């Protein structure tokens, strides 16, 4: 177990049963930027056992401290068990953060879904003062699934749990510390990005040059251009920007979209899950056939992706933008 305590009188207790990946990044970010944090974690392995047993372990290892005012944990921890075993922690302002939820988390077959994990999350919500989700989709998919999930209980089922939990719920995006990638972007894309950033927030749009006006046709049909077409072949002394059309298209499959777009990638995302919250319709596809068609278009005209400034304000998901909300959430003044 990793245990880190600050000097003086800690007021915020950060507990993470699965200290790895995005869970680790968030705890580290809060520890470094929120004053008065005391951190208790377990290594990020054997996820199922962490969800089952971490509460009992933490109940024995977190020392009593009269200055704690707030307890923050991810939903991996069975918070209900922890506060039942430790009445001194039950009096704190308890915040549960959902990176994902076990009611809709993908499994191969529904009968493979272990009822206990989702049930633990529901119980944890009931004893929390604030339940924070990293997206509206995460929140709504969890709340709307509680009733059907509880129908798996053979009889004497609890009622109206979603109504009890919803008033506690807030959406608080996962904060990202974006790197400064200005030195990595092509000059032309950086120039367009800077121009876009100078526009009023309500007037953001794709910045185009006269030649770009013809390139926006990718949203519909793009004329075929064979490699032998003289228009597609660079000539000596040609503007370097024209090389954007003939250089191969690089396609990546990023695990971190919100970061990939910031670094200049052109997004193509399914019109499902959380993606419609983040990306406008022009970057979404509904079927595999639509995805294939758009990829074909971009392969024919790779300059469309290279020269396009993505219309997503990634700064909304940055730590600098979300810091105040997290500070307010972790303040000791009630939920």
């Amino acid at each position: 177990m990793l245990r880190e305590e600050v000097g003086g009188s800690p007021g915020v207790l950060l507990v993470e049963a699965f200290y790895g990946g995005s869970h680790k990044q968030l705890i580290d970010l809060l520890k470094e930027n929120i004053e008065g944090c005391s951190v208790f974690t377990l290594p990020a392995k054997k996820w199922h056992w962490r969800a089952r047993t971490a509460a009992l372990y933490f109940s024995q290892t977190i020392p009593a401290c009269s200055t704690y005012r707030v307890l923050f944990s991810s939903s991996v921890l069975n918070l209900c068990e922890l506060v039942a075993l430790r009445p001194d922690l039950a009096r704190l302002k308890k915040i549960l953060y959902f990176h994902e939820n076990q009611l809709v988390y993908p499994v191969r077959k529904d009968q493979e879904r272990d009822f206990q994990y989702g049930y633990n999350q529901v119980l944890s919500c009931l004893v929390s003062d604030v339940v924070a989700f990293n997206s509206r989709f995460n929140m709504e998919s969890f709340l709307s699934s509680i009733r059907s999930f509880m129908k798996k209980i053979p009889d004497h089922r609890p009622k109206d749990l979603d109504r009890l939990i919803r008033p506690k719920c807030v959406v608080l995006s996962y904060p990202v510390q974006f790197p400064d990638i200005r030195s990595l972007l092509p000059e032309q894309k950086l120039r367009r990005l800077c121009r876009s950033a100078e526009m009023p927030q309500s007037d953001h749009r794709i910045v185009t040059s006269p030649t770009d006006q013809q390139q926006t046709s990718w949203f519909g049909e793009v004329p075929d251009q064979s490699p032998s077409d003289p228009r597609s072949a660079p000539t000596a002394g040609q503007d370097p920007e024209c090389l954007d059309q003939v250089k191969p298209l690089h396609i990546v499959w990023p695990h971190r979209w919100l970061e990939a777009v910031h670094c200049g990638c052109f997004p193509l995302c399914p019109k499902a899950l959380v993606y419609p919250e983040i990306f406008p319709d022009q970057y979404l596809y509904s079927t595999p056939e639509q995805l294939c068609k758009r990829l074909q278009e971009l392969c024919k005209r790779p300059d469309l992706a290279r020269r396009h400034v993505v219309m997503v304000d990634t700064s909304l998901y940055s730590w600098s933008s979300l810091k105040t909300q997290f500070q307010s959430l972790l303040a000791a003044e009630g939920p």
Side-chain angles (χ1 to χ4, degrees):
M1 182 186 76
L2 173 65
R3 169 181 173 179
E4 296 185 38
E5 295 199 57
V6 298
S9 302
V12 179
L13 176 60
L14 304 178
V15 182
E16 179 52 66
F18 195 78
Y19 186 59
S22 61
H23 292 238
K24 179 181 185 299
Q25 292 176 31
L26 179 57
I27 292 296
D28 290 348
L29 197 58
L30 296 178
K31 177 187 66 178
E32 293 166 5
N33 292 275
I34 304 294
E35 198 171 332
C37 289
S38 183
V39 183
F40 292 84
T41 65
L42 284 171
K45 59 182 181 179
K46 296 180 172 58
W47 176 89
H48 298 89
W49 284 107
R50 297 288 183 258
R52 291 184 181 117
T53 66
L56 177 58
Y57 181 80
F58 283 131
S59 73
Q60 295 182 330
T61 53
I62 296 175
C65 179
S66 62
T67 61
Y68 287 147
R69 295 290 179 267
V70 178
L71 190 162
F72 178 95
S73 168
S74 77
S75 61
V76 174
L77 177 70
N78 187 330
L79 187 58
C80 187
E81 287 183 350
L82 179 61
V83 298
L85 293 166
R86 287 287 301 272
D88 59 314
L89 301 181
R91 63 175 176 79
L92 307 183
K93 175 184 176 182
K94 297 171 291 298
I95 303 164
L96 193 69
Y97 191 84
F98 275 77
H99 293 258
E100 64 283 314
N101 79 76
Q102 291 300 313
L103 301 194
V104 298
Y105 197 82
V107 292
R108 291 183 180 180
K109 297 179 180 179
D110 189 60
Q111 55 264 39
E112 295 178 357
R113 187 183 303 280
D114 192 315
F115 180 84
Q116 194 64 42
Y117 302 130
Y119 185 69
N120 289 352
Q121 289 188 332
V122 172
L123 292 179
S124 294
C125 288
L126 291 172
V127 301
S128 297
D129 297 300
V130 180
V131 183
F133 292 85
N134 60 357
S135 70
R136 183 161 296 279
F137 170 80
N138 196 5
M139 180 180 75
E140 293 298 339
S141 64
F142 178 79
L143 293 172
S144 63
S145 299
I146 291 177
R147 291 189 182 185
S148 60
F149 183 77
M150 289 297 168
K151 288 182 180 179
K152 295 180 180 180
I153 300 175
D155 54 14
H156 301 288
R157 303 183 186 106
K159 297 180 180 179
D160 298 327
L161 298 183
D162 54 323
R163 294 183 182 180
L164 294 174
I165 295 171
R166 183 176 286 276
K168 306 178 182 184
C169 295
V170 297
V171 175
L172 186 54
S173 298
Y174 182 90
V176 179
Q177 286 188 303
F178 291 114
D180 185 350
I181 45 86
R182 287 174 293 182
S183 62
L184 304 178
L185 287 178
E187 180 181 351
Q188 191 248 19
K189 180 169 280 195
L190 180 61
R191 186 168 61 248
R192 281 170 164 49
L193 189 62
C194 291
R195 276 193 231 145
S196 179
E198 291 170 0
M199 292 180 180
Q201 184 69 25
S202 61
D203 195 34
H204 274 207
R205 56 176 70 95
I206 299 174
V207 183
T208 59
S209 65
T211 56
D212 291 331
Q213 297 291 348
Q214 300 171 357
Q215 297 168 357
T216 58
S217 61
W218 89 275
F219 297 111
E221 297 295 330
V222 177
D224 287 332
Q225 288 188 335
S226 66
S228 60
D229 190 327
R231 293 175 297 171
S232 65
T235 59
Q238 189 176 25
D239 188 332
E241 291 185 1
C242 294
L243 296 176
D244 286 343
Q245 168 57 20
V246 293
K247 289 189 295 184
L249 181 71
H250 294 84
I251 301 175
V252 297
W253 184 268
H255 291 279
R256 299 286 180 231
W257 289 87
L258 296 178
E259 290 95 328
V261 171
H262 177 78
C263 291
C265 289
F266 188 104
L268 280 178
C269 309
K271 195 170 186 177
L273 305 175
V274 71
Y275 299 113
E277 288 183 48
I278 303 172
F279 300 103
D281 282 344
Q282 67 204 75
Y283 305 121
L284 304 177
Y285 62 88
S286 299
T287 64
E289 291 76 19
Q290 288 182 0
L291 172 61
C292 184
K293 180 179 179 181
R294 291 197 170 185
L295 287 174
Q296 287 175 336
E297 292 170 350
L298 289 174
C299 286
K300 294 175 184 176
R301 297 290 306 278
D303 56 315
L304 296 181
R306 290 198 175 97
R307 303 177 72 181
H308 179 74
V309 177
V310 177
M311 300 311 299
V312 174
D313 186 0
T314 57
S315 69
L316 297 175
Y317 307 97
S318 68
W319 170 247
S320 58
S321 294
L322 294 166
K323 181 178 180 179
T324 301
Q325 295 181 55
F326 274 93
Q327 287 176 327
S328 297
L329 183 67
L330 294 173
E333 295 82 15

